[in-house]
């Protein structure tokens, strides 16, 4: 069974968002990393990149597959987790403490269309 944390927002494409004021901390779910297997590469955007909700912002690569990452909110990238870029296996070790990017949200109401933990559990059938 995959770990799903309460208090986060979840997208249909398996990204999670932790809200810290006007900053969205974004990573991939435990379910997503389990489906992919051993992650070997994390492709990240650059700081100051502008992203639109639903836009591809990077990718995860594993021995099994490559999976695009989609930004669940619009805004500007304020930080990239260099530890994950340098050590992609960290996502496998703990998908929730190893975020990928931080985005200053331009429209926090976009969070309203995301799922809570219960809805995400239902979507992944757990």
């Amino acid at each position: 069974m995959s770990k799903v944390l309460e208090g986060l927002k979840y997208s249909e494409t398996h990204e999670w968002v932790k809200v810290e004021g006007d900053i969205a901390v974004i990573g991939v779910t435990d379910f997503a990393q389990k489906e992919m297997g051993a992650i070997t590469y994390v492709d990240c955007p650059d700081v100051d990149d502008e992203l639109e909700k639903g836009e591809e912002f990077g990718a995860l690569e594993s021995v099994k597959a490559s999976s695009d990452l989609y930004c669940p909110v619009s805004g500007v990238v304020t930080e990239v987790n260099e530890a994950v870029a340098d050590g992609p296996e960290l996502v496998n070790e703990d998908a929730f403490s190893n975020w990928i990017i931080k985005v200053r949200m331009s429209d926090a109401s976009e969070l309203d269309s995301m799922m809570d933990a219960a809805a995400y559990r239902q979507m992944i059938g757990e």
Side-chain angles (χ1 to χ4, degrees):
M1 191 155 162
S2 299
K3 185 161 85 171
V4 178
L5 298 185
E6 296 294 332
L8 300 180
K9 297 284 193 173
Y10 295 90
S11 70
E12 290 180 6
T13 52
H14 309 289
E15 288 84 17
W16 56 261
V17 172
K18 178 180 174 188
V19 179
E20 296 179 345
D22 64 345
I23 300 292
V25 181
I26 301 168
V28 296
T29 65
D30 190 48
F31 176 84
Q33 69 82 14
K34 282 182 178 168
E35 290 290 299
M36 289 198 69
I39 294 169
T40 56
Y41 180 71
V42 180
D43 180 32
C44 299
D46 295 321
V47 170
D48 294 331
D49 279 3
E50 284 190 43
L51 299 172
E52 293 296 318
K53 177 183 168 100
E55 183 181 352
E56 184 184 317
F57 73 82
L60 295 179
E61 290 179 16
S62 74
V63 288
K64 284 203 263 183
S66 178
S67 181
D68 292 332
L69 298 168
Y70 297 95
C71 199
V73 293
S74 301
V76 176
V77 177
T78 60
E79 198 174 339
V80 171
N81 189 343
E82 296 296 342
V84 166
D86 294 340
E89 67 282 353
L90 291 171
V91 176
N92 291 122
E93 289 170 18
D94 188 341
F96 289 107
S97 61
N98 291 293
W99 53 274
I100 298 172
I101 61 170
K102 293 184 180 183
V103 172
R104 184 173 310 281
M105 294 180 283
S106 56
D107 181 2
S109 71
E110 291 176 336
L111 295 166
D112 298 342
S113 64
M114 295 185 73
M115 292 176 271
D116 62 12
Y120 183 72
R121 272 191 206 97
Q122 191 172 7
M123 186 190 91
I124 62 175
E126 295 189 359

